[in-house]
Amino acid sequence: MTRSLQRRFVAAAMAAVTVLLLFLLGAINGANLFFAHQRLAHTLEMLGDTGGDIGRLPPPQPGGPEHPGMDRNDYDTFLSSNFFVVRFGQEGRVVFADVSRTSQVSQEEAVHLAEEARASGQNEGSSGSFRYLLRENPPFGLTAVFLDTAGEQFSCLRVLALSGGLGLCCWLGMLAVVVLLSKKAIRPIAENIQRQKQFVTNAGHELKTPLAIIRSNAEALELYTGASKWSGRIIEQTVRMDGLVKNMLLLARMDEGAGSARPEEIDFSTLLAEVLEEFAQPMGARGMVLRQEAAPAAAVYGDRAQVRQMLALLLDNAVKHGRDSGEVRVSLSQKDGRVQLWIENTCPVLPDCPPEKLFQRFYRADSARSQKSGGSGIGLSAVRALAAANRARVQAEYLLPDRVRFTVNFPQPGPHRS
């Protein structure tokens, strides 16, 4: 249990750390990408305004007036940019191409890219690592300016790689810290849970003796004075309490790991028939009809005693919470390498809760009826614990209008098991 709590604590803490790191890294890289895009767009606008002619843009003078929309940093960025310019004449033919500011393309490639951009019908766009802008720029006419964005892309990728590596190192460091501190953090919870389990175990063992004495004295009293409704109620409640104590002790053993399964190959069809025979009398006493659909010679892999107890608890639940003169259906089949059992019973009214909640400890959908029938609310919890110990899965579902079905999937024996 301590290890399970420690794993959950570490998982929850690291999930929070992961979300925080992803948010921070996403914000940093998103902001970097946004500002890089803005810088490229601004530089491309300046190139479009000047037609790529730096001579038309004298440098800002210290203390002198600046160009509209441009400061000294913008001018330096302009000078350090890699770009090429292509101009078109009135007939749409290329009349000028300048590739002196880039070594990425030849003059022929520049002309080809410009013609493709013009044919696309879009004034802005991208082609490979270049972003382009088409603009009427007197006195040059239609000018296509292509800005090389490879440097900015590499810069963004570098920031992404560095931040990702740093984030991973931080995550691993936090994982080490959380693992080291987890035992200390969960110690009070683990000790409290352990004390609760110990209390349940001790109380269960202490209750068994007085319950046996009360029941034997009540039965002895009936021998001397005859049966009465008071002695009958005493015996009935002691039987109910004895079942409750046994289920509590079973859950305590399963939680402590003392109920570990000793798996073996089981003739499940025979075992199911034996348990059904034991419940024939309780079903008959309530006028219930049993319908079986059992597959012949079905075998499962599990602890025989625990599987038998699980079947008994499921059938006991069907009898206690089923409708008088109702129906109990039991089906056993083999499918996809597993043995599937479902037990279905009619009930006066479907529980007003999700089916999964039926497995919650001490939960009773109808407290008054459960009290009357002897239900304690932990039988199905014990079923789930036994199923988990034997690598089986159990689930509940409602079938309209008045049926509850419990389905258990068992592993079949295989050559890899011993």
Side-chain angles (χ1 to χ4, degrees), residues 91-149:
E91 297 179 358
R93 295 180 180 180
V94 174
V95 296
F96 175 79
D98 181 12
V99 295
S100 60
R101 296 298 303 272
T102 181
S103 60
Q104 301 297 318
V105 297
S106 64
Q107 188 167 357
E108 291 77 11
E109 291 172 335
V111 171
H112 177 70
L113 291 174
E115 289 177 340
E116 284 186 344
R118 185 171 181 272
S120 68
Q122 297 180 350
N123 293 329
E124 295 184 34
S126 60
S127 178
S129 63
F130 288 94
R131 289 182 59 181
Y132 65 83
L133 176 66
L134 295 176
R135 177 169 294 179
E136 289 289 345
N137 199 320
F140 304 125
L142 181 63
T143 303
V145 181
F146 284 75
L147 177 64
D148 187 3
T149 63

Side-chain angles (χ1 to χ4, degrees), residues 214-215 218 221 229-239:
I214 293 172
R215 181 176 179 179
L221 185 63
K229 63 179 181 179
W230 294 283
S231 61
R233 288 177 180 174
I234 292 174
I235 295 174
E236 178 184 344
Q237 292 303 313
T238 53
V239 170

Side-chain angles (χ1 to χ4, degrees), residues 235-375:
I235 295 174
E236 178 184 344
Q237 292 303 313
T238 53
V239 170
R240 176 176 177 271
M241 283 294 297
D242 184 62
L244 173 60
V245 169
K246 288 179 179 178
N247 286 337
M248 288 174 60
L249 291 175
L250 170 63
L251 284 174
R253 287 197 303 271
M254 301 299 291
D255 288 340
E256 293 172 358
S260 300
R262 297 177 176 84
E264 60 178 317
E265 184 172 339
I266 305 171
D267 183 350
F268 192 66
S269 299
T270 302
L271 181 62
L272 178 60
E274 293 174 359
V275 179
L276 285 173
E277 186 177 352
E278 296 175 2
F279 280 85
Q281 191 277 330
M283 289 183 189
R286 297 193 58 189
M288 293 180 169
V289 177
L290 175 63
R291 303 189 186 280
Q292 301 183 55
E293 301 173 11
V300 300
Y301 192 75
D303 186 297
R304 182 180 181 84
Q306 291 185 0
V307 172
R308 183 187 184 94
Q309 190 168 14
M310 180 168 48
L311 293 176
L313 287 170
L314 285 171
L315 288 170
D316 182 65
N317 180 79
V319 173
K320 285 180 178 178
H321 301 286
R323 188 177 61 208
D324 290 338
S325 302
E327 182 181 75
V328 176
R329 296 184 62 191
V330 178
S331 174
L332 179 62
S333 61
Q334 301 183 57
K335 182 180 180 182
D336 298 331
R338 300 184 71 86
V339 173
Q340 184 181 82
L341 167 75
W342 54 260
I343 297 176
E344 174 186 310
N345 65 273
T346 54
C347 51
V349 62
L350 290 177
D352 186 18
C353 69
E356 187 66 19
K357 199 168 184 179
L358 297 176
F359 296 101
Q360 183 177 321
R361 295 186 184 186
F362 297 104
Y363 178 80
R364 293 182 291 186
D366 188 340
S367 300
R369 181 169 179 79
S370 297
Q371 182 74 19
K372 181 179 179 180
S373 63

Side-chain angles (χ1 to χ4, degrees), residues 54-89:
I54 299 179
R56 298 181 63 191
L57 194 66
Q61 299 298 324
E66 295 185 348
H67 298 286
M70 177 185 294
D71 56 21
R72 183 171 294 277
N73 290 332
D74 292 334
Y75 186 79
D76 293 339
T77 301
F78 181 90
L79 293 179
S80 62
S81 301
N82 295 326
F83 62 92
F84 65 87
V85 179
V86 177
R87 295 173 184 146
F88 297 89

Side-chain angles (χ1 to χ4, degrees), residues 1-77:
M1 176 60 72
T2 301
R3 290 184 178 180
S4 176
L5 283 174
Q6 186 179 8
R7 285 195 296 268
R8 292 181 182 180
F9 176 83
V10 172
M14 293 313 300
V17 171
T18 301
V19 171
L20 178 61
L21 283 176
L22 289 176
F23 175 77
L24 290 176
L25 294 179
I28 291 172
N29 285 277
N32 182 54
L33 186 62
F34 173 77
F35 288 121
H37 182 273
Q38 292 294 99
R39 286 194 301 271
L40 290 173
H42 187 51
T43 303
L44 192 60
E45 284 291 332
M46 288 191 298
L47 291 171
D49 290 341
T50 61
D53 185 1
I54 299 179
R56 298 181 63 191
L57 194 66
Q61 299 298 324
E66 295 185 348
H67 298 286
M70 177 185 294
D71 56 21
R72 183 171 294 277
N73 290 332
D74 292 334
Y75 186 79
D76 293 339
T77 301

